[in-house]
Amino acid sequence: MALLRRASTVALITLGSRGLGFVRDAMVAALFGTGMVADASVAGLALPQLARRLLGEGALNAAILPALAREEEDGRARLAGAALLLFALAALAVSAALFVFMTPVVGVLAPGFDMEGPRGTGAVMVARFAIACVPLALVAGVLGAVTNAGGRYAAPAFGPVAGNLAVIALIIALMMAGGRGMAMDTALLWLAGAALAGALTQFALVALAVPAGALAVPRSDDLARALPMLGAALPSLFASALPQLRFLVAAAAASALTGGVAALFYATRLVELPLGLVGASAGAVLLPALAQNPAGKGARGGTQVGAHGVEAALALSLPAALGLAVLAEPIVAVLFQRGAFDAEATRLTATAMALIALTLPLQASEKVLAAIAFTQGLSRLVTRFGLLALGIGAVVGFSATPMLGIAGPALGVLASSLASLCGLALALGRRRLIVLDRPAWRRLRGLGGAALAMAGAIALARLALAGPLAGGGVRGAGALAVLVAGGVVVYGVAARLFGGIAFATLRAAFARR
């Protein structure tokens, strides 16, 4: 199926970008650990990174592609040009306002920072320098949507990959220039410059991929017809941004802790690797099926699609969540503990990661339910529950941090994810848009039992391999690889025994593909 092949290609490229992003973060962690430079850079680059991540992964497609598809061929290029102009002007206006009011904005993002101290002033400096990433990312997102409308999918998806490579190149240069011994402001400017270089590279690659004739100078009536795209973009952007917005809320709570913002960031990035795989895989399952049931409100076909999407998401996310939670400390130690990233930084990051990992099944299922809601014209439902969940996460995170330390913000992320999923599930269930029959519940119980069996097995195996894991280096990485591989085997066998996975169904799915 052509659509499935395209979705899989884009998913693989996206995962490659996430992998490069992890390499980038590991290099920064080795340079600055969870110290003041790391805290200030994470807070200052939060908005530019959010823009690059969202818009580089096609978050504007839902708003732009349908409008271009409805347009007659002779006016499509002008409408695309109008959309590009409007989005660029909106991005410039927002960026200019953020630049002027950056000090109070950073104060909201990191209320625990002393805005007269090094973390506060450093974060404001980084944010102002890198705010140009926002309009670059937004224009690149529009160009990517226009390119997708022309039938080209891989080239725009490579934009974030190229951007991460540019950032990594500058961080290598920073290492060679003695970054660990630099003054804080100088190091922060290097990091801000790396972020800007990544945004410029991503923009250039996507711009070069736009098909000839896909853009034209718009007329005044084209601008009026393109205006609804701005409004349509907000719900899809919000839904795509929910995991990052939860991190921003949690980071605000963690800003009261020294090293808390950086530790939470590293933990979140580790969890996002499997979340990216889950989201991409669920998307590859859902997109073709939902396209075949566009008007199936309450129809059995539509509910089966949703049920299968939830199963696919949980089949991957349940073992990933429990595996990351059980192995949080050795994973962080093996992947990050070097250079300035010391044992205390490992403890902070692993504590946050163990709790945030438990959100994987919740966020993966939420992605599936949000996709169903959008296809049924229920975008306001997603927005309403998302906003409510963010508020719940903020209350839990800020309340728990004084008592629990870094675990408090992580619990806020968990509470927010659970609240949003429950709200969406109840709302869609009442509309009969998602129905799990008895065989589906039986398979889900089997998957849950298999994931618990896997978690128990790797917890025992971790005790047996405590020596190599504590030693780190090649031996530690080898021991961790053995634990991961063993966990995969145990989960697969247990899922088959418990009735969670039918291998005949999997073989049939691959044969159809």
Side-chain angles (χ1 to χ4, degrees):
M1 183 182 277
L3 183 57
L4 186 54
R5 285 195 298 272
R6 290 169 183 166
S8 300
T9 299
V10 172
L12 287 173
I13 296 171
T14 300
L15 288 175
S17 174
R18 297 279 177 94
L20 287 172
F22 163 73
V23 172
R24 174 199 67 206
D25 298 333
M27 294 168 69
V28 174
L31 277 172
F32 305 113
T34 56
M36 287 195 296
V37 172
D39 265 358
S41 67
V42 170
L45 293 174
L47 295 180
Q49 293 281 26
L50 175 63
R52 273 194 63 206
R53 291 280 306 281
L54 283 181
L55 300 166
E57 295 179 4
L60 290 179
N61 284 2
I64 294 175
L65 291 183
L68 293 181
R70 290 192 299 267
E71 185 68 19
E72 296 293 334
E73 188 171 351
D74 59 347
R76 192 174 301 158
R78 294 198 314 274
L79 184 62
L84 180 64
L85 179 60
L86 287 177
F87 276 90
L89 291 174
L92 287 171
V94 170
S95 300
L98 287 172
F99 184 90
V100 172
F101 298 105
M102 192 59 74
T103 299
V105 168
V106 172
V108 171
L109 294 175
F113 286 8
D114 176 5
M115 297 311 296
E116 301 297 326
R119 287 199 301 173
T121 57
V124 171
M125 179 185 69
V126 169
R128 282 188 167 142
F129 189 90
I131 197 62
C133 296
V134 173
L136 285 171
L138 191 57
V139 171
V142 176
L143 293 175
V146 171
T147 304
N148 290 161
R152 299 182 183 180
Y153 296 89
F158 266 115
V161 174
N164 278 326
L165 288 173
V167 174
I168 289 171
L170 276 182
I171 293 176
I172 291 174
L174 173 60
M175 288 179 164
M176 295 175 64
R180 287 185 65 181
M182 283 183 179
M184 181 174 175
D185 285 355
T186 305
L188 287 172
L189 285 174
W190 269 88
L191 294 175
L196 187 56
L200 282 167
T201 303
Q202 182 172 326
F203 166 78
L205 187 66
V206 175
L208 290 173
V210 177
L215 292 169
V217 178
R219 299 193 300 238
S220 57
D221 60 318
D222 297 318
L223 294 172
R225 290 186 298 114
L227 273 175
M229 293 188 200
L230 281 173
L234 294 177
S236 60
L237 282 174
F238 179 78
S240 301
L242 269 178
Q244 286 77 34
L245 292 176
R246 286 177 185 139
F247 165 73
L248 291 182
V249 172
S255 65
L257 308 170
T258 301
V261 175
L264 192 69
F265 173 77
Y266 296 134
T268 303
R269 296 309 297 267
L270 285 171
V271 172
E272 282 179 349
L273 285 172
L275 182 60
L277 174 61
V278 170
S281 301
V285 172
L286 279 176
L287 279 173
L290 289 176
Q292 293 169 7
N293 295 278
K297 285 190 177 183
R300 180 170 176 79
T303 59
Q304 286 182 333
V305 169
H308 293 161
V310 170
E311 286 185 60
L314 291 177
L316 291 167
S317 61
L318 279 172
L322 294 182
L324 287 172
V326 171
L327 297 176
E329 188 168 351
I331 287 174
V332 174
V334 169
L335 297 180
F336 280 128
Q337 192 169 321
R338 60 186 58 85
F341 201 96
D342 56 17
E344 176 60 18
T346 294
R347 185 194 65 79
L348 272 177
T349 304
T351 301
M353 178 179 163
L355 288 169
I356 294 175
L358 299 180
T359 68
L360 265 173
L362 307 177
Q363 295 196 65
S365 301
E366 180 189 23
K367 284 178 179 288
V368 176
L369 299 188
I372 296 170
F374 277 119
T375 60
Q376 301 298 332
L378 299 173
S379 59
R380 291 184 179 179
L381 198 69
V382 179
T383 303
R384 187 185 313 132
F385 286 119
L387 287 172
L388 177 62
L390 286 177
I392 292 173
V395 171
V396 172
F398 279 94
S399 300
T401 299
M403 297 178 291
L404 302 177
I406 194 65
L411 281 174
V413 177
L414 185 61
S416 177
S417 302
L418 180 61
S420 180
L421 175 64
C422 289
L424 279 175
L426 289 172
L428 295 179
R430 282 200 300 267
R431 293 169 171 81
R432 308 295 293 174
L433 294 175
I434 177 73
V435 176
L436 296 175
D437 55 19
R438 287 185 179 179
W441 281 113
R442 186 166 58 249
R443 288 191 295 271
L444 289 179
R445 286 195 296 270
L447 291 174
L452 288 173
M454 179 213 70
I458 61 175
L460 292 174
R462 177 186 169 182
L463 295 177
L465 294 173
L469 288 172
V474 175
R475 289 186 66 208
L480 186 59
V482 169
L483 288 173
V484 172
V488 170
V489 172
V490 171
Y491 176 69
V493 172
R496 179 68 180 89
L497 292 176
F498 297 163
I501 295 176
F503 287 102
T505 303
L506 288 179
R507 285 195 297 270
F510 279 110
R512 285 195 301 271
R513 206 181 147 185

